[in-house]
Amino acid sequence: MYHKEKSIQIKSSASALYNNLSVLRIAPRSLTYFAVVHANVVNMVSASWDGLNYSHRQLQSKEGSVATSSSLIMQAAWCVLPSRELLVLTSQRGIQMYESDGSIMVYWHALDSPETPTAQAVFTRGIAAVREKYICVGISSGSVLVFDVPSKGSNITLSEVLEEHKESITDMASECSGSLECIADLVSADDSGLLCVWKSGEDFQLLNKIPGFDMSCSSVKLWKGTVVAGYGTGQIRLYEAVTGILHAEINAHARWIYSLDIAPFTGLLLSAAEDSLVRVWHLTMTPETNNVEIEHLYNECVTDTQICGAKFCDGDGYAFAVTGYDLTEIIRYTQG
Amino acid sequence: MSDIISTMFNKPFMEELLRPQDIYSHRAMRTLLTRIAHASIMRLNPASMDKLYDLMIMAFKYQVQLCPRPRDLLLVTLNHIDTIKSFVRHNPRLSNQIDEAQRQLIEMYKPLTDGEFHLIRQTLLIFLQDMHVRVSVFLREKLQNANGHFVLSTSGPVPQGSDVPGLIRLFNNQGKEVKRCEFPSGGTYTSPVREGSFDMAGDRVTRLGTNMYSESAENTQTSGSPKFKQNSQADTTPNPLAKEELNLLAKLMGGMEVQDSPSGNSAFRVNLFTTDQEEEEAGTASETHGMFSVINIQATKDHRANSELARIAGEFTDHEENSDAPSSKGDHLLSLMDDL
């Protein structure tokens, strides 16, 4: 179904962090941006669609006035809003937002770090762009910060703090089908496997809480009102977001799942884990019967690699890219 | 052996280790391990110490990376402790010391959640990133590839708490299973084996953390030219707190009985190379890329290899000069430890 393409080399290897690959497709310029985290640095590559031009940039974690920082970056992701795209970095010290090419830092939010280290780790993780103007970021305490983002400029403000989770936030996802009919806008996941479903607005509204079974949910997506959650046990579960009804349970991987992605136009699902496998699935929804089905389509084994990031490069799922711990390349696959 | 174990498990040292803190840099870790090694009558020159460090790091990386579940890190640690206990079982004072340390470790780590263990594992993996030194026993046992990356098998038992991949179950709105299908897993997996014990004594089940030489009688060598650390950004940025940590550690360790430069008879020198001459040549190379900017060119038979070594040493020296503070920090720290 897919064949391997030429890999893109990156300046330093990928760290073993959840969802450690972000992709931004810039159609007007025939470019795709990739971002991969290495400790306290984000490796950014801009690849032209004709495969001829690659340019690299490394973004160091900057905290306030400190030029470089040793604090680890937990996640880097592009947030696509109708008016602008921002690159968001979540680290042990706080949240940084940059223009999409990483050239200018637009906003910095410091986390309340304790003076001396505590047994409980402090960090930020989990990034999602919601509806027209919100960027949501998770914290190790379980809180979710909601930022209000203007259509341009740096006047970003903290709008709300959502307190439902008791364990560290692992990942967050917004409804990606583009449909305005969906009630649920955002799902947040944490280390206990708890999933919270939200509706955005001046005040975010909690629609549902889907309990975990004390098993960390490391990656989550929301598509056409269905939550797709990947767990440390290697299981993937499909829930109806608003009601919490379990539609499907898949024994998908033999090790901890690190990344999930959905191609919104076709319903293709990508899952990747420490077991070296990337799997492609197909989701079908029958809204009349409220039926959700999933079938397995394809496996790709990235030999001797603990995969830490896997993303589709386009909305149809025609191509996908993969990163692995200790690998200094982004491996790409294309249909055909 | 008793000297080393006694140093590693003494009460103030353990308390310092168990205090919440950021992970050490490679430089700090190497210094610490050198100090521990020299708590005994063992003496290693810098080249052999480098090799020992690489070996320890790669063995540890293997154990961390291959852990099927993050919680297995604790089982690996318990395996280490079980073995150490067996070395000193005839020494009641040391046995008690280790028992106490083990109790503290179990008390601290057993209650952690899988998510918390995984954060520990991820942090350790970041520390161990980009180390690809080839270890002969791993290569021989086909656990490591020629490029230094470890072999990750797609067969064998799945971890405790996981299911064998390959099954999709679909449910209706009432929660009733309505369809079941299978898919090819791409591997040959089996059900999990029994859970290991997290108690003071018991079958840990996992082999990770047990003696990796138990089946091989040969010496282990790390192959390839001396490994010069990659320019990892996380490594070169000075952490202001680290110096304080290390000073405290140095004080704690200095409090232990330490053998000063021993007389020729009582010391034994550990050489991790095949011949003394090799060790000496490697030692010269190490010195040139240490904290000094002078490049010593040692006359050897192979002129080409020698100039290659000098070139690499030169590159490394430039790297040292460009980074902000590590050189001076290292200097100060080492002299501090020498004073003790």
Side-chain angles (χ1 to χ4, degrees), chain B residues 3-240:
Chain B
D3 291 328
I4 291 179
I5 293 174
S6 159
T7 306
M8 275 179 70
F9 287 91
N10 86 74
K11 204 163 183 305
F13 187 62
M14 280 302 300
E15 269 168 18
E16 173 60 25
L17 279 184
L18 291 178
R19 195 174 55 80
Q21 57 196 296
D22 286 331
I23 197 168
Y24 294 163
S25 65
H26 272 278
R27 189 173 282 268
M29 188 65 72
R30 183 189 301 255
T31 309
L32 176 62
L33 291 174
T34 307
R35 203 70 175 78
I36 290 177
H38 288 172
S40 68
I41 59 172
M42 211 168 48
R43 282 297 169 269
L44 294 139
N45 80 2
S48 280
M49 189 63 223
D50 280 354
K51 272 207 149 188
L52 182 60
Y53 184 75
D54 283 348
L55 185 58
M56 289 192 283
I57 288 293
M58 289 310 292
F60 185 55
K61 184 172 183 174
Y62 177 74
Q63 290 162 19
V64 174
Q65 213 179 339
L66 271 285
C67 267
R69 292 177 308 173
R71 185 173 298 276
D72 291 339
L73 279 179
L74 184 51
L75 287 175
V76 168
T77 305
L78 291 173
N79 265 335
H80 290 168
I81 293 192
D82 288 345
T83 313
I84 294 171
K85 274 206 277 205
S86 72
F87 291 153
V88 297
R89 60 180 174 275
H90 301 305
N91 183 331
R93 181 181 70 85
L94 282 181
S95 293
N96 281 340
Q97 221 175 16
I98 297 171
D99 275 347
E100 181 52 34
Q102 188 181 16
R103 246 189 295 278
Q104 287 178 343
L105 285 170
I106 292 176
E107 190 185 308
M108 170 160 288
Y109 289 103
K110 192 171 171 184
L112 293 188
T113 64
D114 288 315
E116 285 170 317
F117 263 115
H118 207 190
L119 185 63
I120 292 174
R121 181 164 174 270
Q122 287 179 332
T123 312
L124 288 172
L125 285 175
I126 290 176
F127 174 81
L128 297 162
Q129 203 155 347
D130 302 323
M131 300 283 294
H132 299 301
V133 181
R134 293 185 295 274
V135 177
S136 66
V137 62
F138 287 149
L139 291 170
R140 208 170 36 245
E141 303 289 321
K142 303 269 189 289
L143 302 173
Q144 189 181 28
N145 295 322
N147 63 2
H149 289 248
F150 291 121
V151 172
L152 301 178
S153 169
T154 52
S155 64
V158 293
Q160 272 285 326
S162 295
D163 293 299
V164 174
L167 183 63
I168 301 174
R169 298 166 71 201
L170 299 172
F171 304 90
N172 67 10
N173 293 334
Q174 283 71 46
K176 186 162 171 289
E177 187 184 308
V178 293
K179 194 169 166 191
R180 211 174 241 248
C181 25
E182 291 186 1
F183 66 89
S185 67
T188 40
Y189 299 107
T190 54
S191 300
V193 294
R194 69 193 182 289
E195 172 105 57
S197 160
F198 289 95
D199 296 326
M200 289 293 288
D203 183 4
R204 313 297 177 195
V205 178
T206 179
R207 299 279 306 147
L208 293 171
T210 56
N211 186 357
M212 64 199 211
Y213 295 104
S214 53
E215 271 127 45
S216 94
E218 281 177 47
N219 292 333
T220 282
Q221 298 169 13
T222 51
S223 58
S225 51
K227 176 77 181 158
F228 294 86
K229 262 202 316 293
Q230 303 275 5
N231 182 13
S232 160
Q233 297 284 20
D235 211 68
T236 56
T237 313
N239 180 355

Side-chain angles (χ1 to χ4, degrees), chain B residues 228-268:
Chain B
F228 294 86
K229 262 202 316 293
Q230 303 275 5
N231 182 13
S232 160
Q233 297 284 20
D235 211 68
T236 56
T237 313
N239 180 355
L241 284 178
K243 195 174 131 197
E244 298 315 307
E245 315 264 3
L246 284 163
N247 287 347
L248 174 59
L249 262 168
K251 273 207 203 81
L252 286 172
M253 298 186 70
M256 295 309 299
E257 224 175 84
V258 165
Q259 298 272 3
D260 288 324
S261 300
S263 60
N265 293 338
S266 60
F268 73 90

Side-chain angles (χ1 to χ4, degrees), chain A:
Chain A
M1 188 178 173
Y2 290 87
H3 66 270
K4 195 164 168 222
E5 292 269 21
K6 185 159 159 264
S7 291
I8 303 176
Q9 297 303 316
I10 43 177
K11 295 290 185 198
S12 49
S13 57
S15 290
L17 298 161
Y18 303 141
N19 308 297
N20 192 6
L21 174 63
S22 187
V23 179
L24 182 69
R25 196 161 187 268
I26 307 183
R29 289 162 61 200
S30 302
L31 284 178
T32 303
Y33 286 166
F34 299 85
V36 183
V37 176
H38 171 100
N40 64 337
V41 167
V42 179
N43 288 303
M44 288 175 61
V45 187
S46 150
S48 62
W49 290 0
D50 57 16
L52 296 176
N53 290 309
Y54 297 95
S55 76
H56 299 260
R57 167 176 254 148
Q58 284 189 303
L59 216 51
Q60 280 247 267
S61 176
K62 287 197 254 301
E63 264 102 41
S65 54
V66 179
T68 62
S69 169
S70 58
S71 93
L72 298 177
I73 299 176
M74 304 300 289
Q75 193 177 3
W78 275 285
C79 287
V80 178
L81 295 168
S83 53
R84 66 199 296 194
E85 289 144 357
L86 292 174
L87 175 63
V88 179
L89 269 53
T90 52
S91 76
Q92 289 178 311
R93 296 264 189 284
I95 301 155
Q96 301 153 57
M97 301 191 192
Y98 291 82
E99 293 294 355
S100 62
D101 62 358
S103 56
I104 307 166
M105 174 150 79
V106 166
Y107 181 70
W108 151 243
H109 175 94
L111 204 55
D112 289 325
S113 295
E115 279 297 312
T116 50
T118 56
Q120 205 70 33
V122 174
F123 57 88
T124 51
R125 181 173 59 188
I127 303 169
V130 183
R131 289 287 178 205
E132 290 77 40
K133 58 179 190 146
Y134 300 107
I135 288 181
C136 298
V137 178
I139 306 186
S140 47
S141 59
S143 304
V144 174
L145 304 179
V146 180
F147 294 95
D148 199 305
V149 182
S151 56
K152 54 178 189 264
S154 55
N155 189 23
I156 296 169
T157 52
L158 178 61
S159 152
E160 207 182 342
V161 180
L162 309 174
E163 315 262 26
E164 276 304 326
H165 292 273
K166 302 280 177 289
E167 302 284 334
S168 301
I169 303 292
T170 45
D171 192 23
M172 300 209 290
S174 56
E175 172 60 60
C176 63
S177 65
S179 160
L180 294 167
E181 286 171 15
C182 296
I183 310 163
D185 293 324
L186 174 72
V187 62
S188 51
D190 72 23
D191 258 340
S192 71
L194 174 68
L195 301 165
C196 287
V197 181
W198 309 87
K199 178 170 175 50
S200 67
E202 285 296 314
D203 293 305
F204 271 52
Q205 195 192 333
L206 178 69
L207 296 176
N208 197 10
K209 277 174 93 152
I210 303 170
F213 301 98
D214 272 331
M215 177 33 68
S216 182
C217 171
S218 39
S219 197
V220 73
K221 303 301 292 184
L222 180 60
W223 183 66
K224 291 191 176 174
T226 299
V227 174
V228 184
Y231 297 85
T233 48
Q235 247 193 8
I236 293 176
R237 283 186 228 133
L238 270 56
Y239 288 101
E240 187 174 294
V242 174
T243 59
I245 292 173
L246 177 68
H247 283 300
E249 193 173 81
I250 306 124
N251 298 338
H253 287 276
R255 293 284 189 278
W256 206 283
I257 291 177
Y258 261 66
S259 190
L260 292 178
D261 198 26
I262 291 188
F265 305 152
T266 52
L268 287 179
L269 169 70
L270 193 64
S271 70
E274 280 187 343
D275 61 0
S276 307
L277 283 153
V278 185
R279 304 196 196 274
V280 183
W281 319 77
H282 187 226
L283 295 175
T284 37
M285 312 274 182
T286 331
E288 298 80 31
T289 53
N290 216 17
N291 206 24
V292 178
E293 287 214 10
I294 181 167
E295 58 169 326
H296 174 261
L297 295 182
Y298 179 74
N299 290 331
E300 183 70 51
C301 181
V302 188
T303 316
D304 298 333
T305 304
Q306 286 181 331
I307 303 172
C308 50
K311 286 279 190 322
F312 284 118
C313 298
D314 55 87
D316 292 299
Y318 179 70
F320 66 87
V322 169
T323 55
Y325 168 64
D326 250 354
L327 286 195
T328 49
E329 58 182 322
I330 299 170
I331 310 173
R332 288 186 298 174
Y333 301 87
T334 314
Q335 274 186 27

Side-chain angles (χ1 to χ4, degrees), chain B residues 249-291:
Chain B
L249 262 168
K251 273 207 203 81
L252 286 172
M253 298 186 70
M256 295 309 299
E257 224 175 84
V258 165
Q259 298 272 3
D260 288 324
S261 300
S263 60
N265 293 338
S266 60
F268 73 90
R269 198 171 61 83
V270 176
N271 178 6
L272 290 175
F273 295 80
T274 42
T275 65
D276 279 353
Q277 194 208 9
E278 241 190 76
E279 186 194 31
E280 213 176 270
E281 281 167 12
T284 311
S286 306
E287 274 160 22
T288 58
H289 70 67
M291 267 75 66

